[in-house]
Amino acid sequence: QVQLVESGGGLVQTGGSLRLSCAASGLTFSRYVVGWFRQVPGKEREFVGCIRWISALTYYADYADSVKGRFTISRETAKNTVYLQMNSLKSEDTAVYYCTVGSRLTTNSLEYDYWGQGTQVTVSS
């Protein structure tokens, strides 16, 4: 059974940083595309970034324009955990953040297969 568990959310001031974690059981991240999305109440789930590792040092990644240069996806293979490092946080980054896995590098949430339960990030100004 596949399970994704996010953690690391919390309250941070504008300009601060947070690192979200997504730990997987039942699958190995290196075989999938890993995506991060976020959602605020009343709005659709929004693409944040996604990544596919080709090798230990080679990958394809895509990020939303709104987070490009501030957010970075990485992994710790031994722990089968993926991270979303978020720097220079803004109030508009406030949302519930979800990790997800799929087979295609895509910004479309409908094309991902498994989802975590989400973790709340609140950026205060």
Side-chain angles (χ1 to χ4, degrees):
Q1 183 178 357
V2 175
Q3 189 173 18
L4 304 176
V5 179
E6 300 99 332
S7 61
L11 176 64
V12 63
Q13 290 187 333
T14 300
S17 298
L18 276 177
R19 189 180 75 163
L20 306 184
S21 300
C22 178
S25 58
L27 60 79
T28 302
F29 275 131
S30 58
R31 299 180 180 179
Y32 293 87
V33 170
V34 180
W36 285 93
F37 286 76
R38 63 188 182 187
Q39 190 169 24
V40 298
K43 293 190 176 182
E44 292 186 356
R45 198 161 288 189
E46 177 189 21
F47 170 75
V48 173
C50 61
I51 192 165
R52 176 194 291 276
W53 285 277
I54 308 303
S55 68
L57 298 178
T58 306
Y59 56 86
Y60 296 118
D62 188 21
Y63 296 92
D65 288 343
S66 59
V67 307
K68 206 167 288 184
R70 300 188 297 123
F71 290 12
T72 304
I73 301 172
S74 63
R75 68 174 177 177
E76 189 168 355
T77 304
K79 294 184 176 181
N80 203 25
T81 298
V82 170
Y83 303 101
L84 179 67
Q85 178 67 44
M86 306 186 296
N87 299 326
S88 303
L89 283 162
K90 307 175 181 179
S91 57
E92 52 262 44
D93 294 320
T94 295
V96 177
Y97 283 72
Y98 299 89
C99 73
T100 180
V101 294
S103 57
R104 293 187 63 232
L105 203 66
T106 176
T107 64
N108 185 350
S109 63
L110 297 178
E111 296 193 54
Y112 287 87
D113 300 314
Y114 302 101
W115 292 83
Q117 82 289 348
T119 185
Q120 176 71 46
V121 171
T122 302
V123 184
S124 65
S125 56

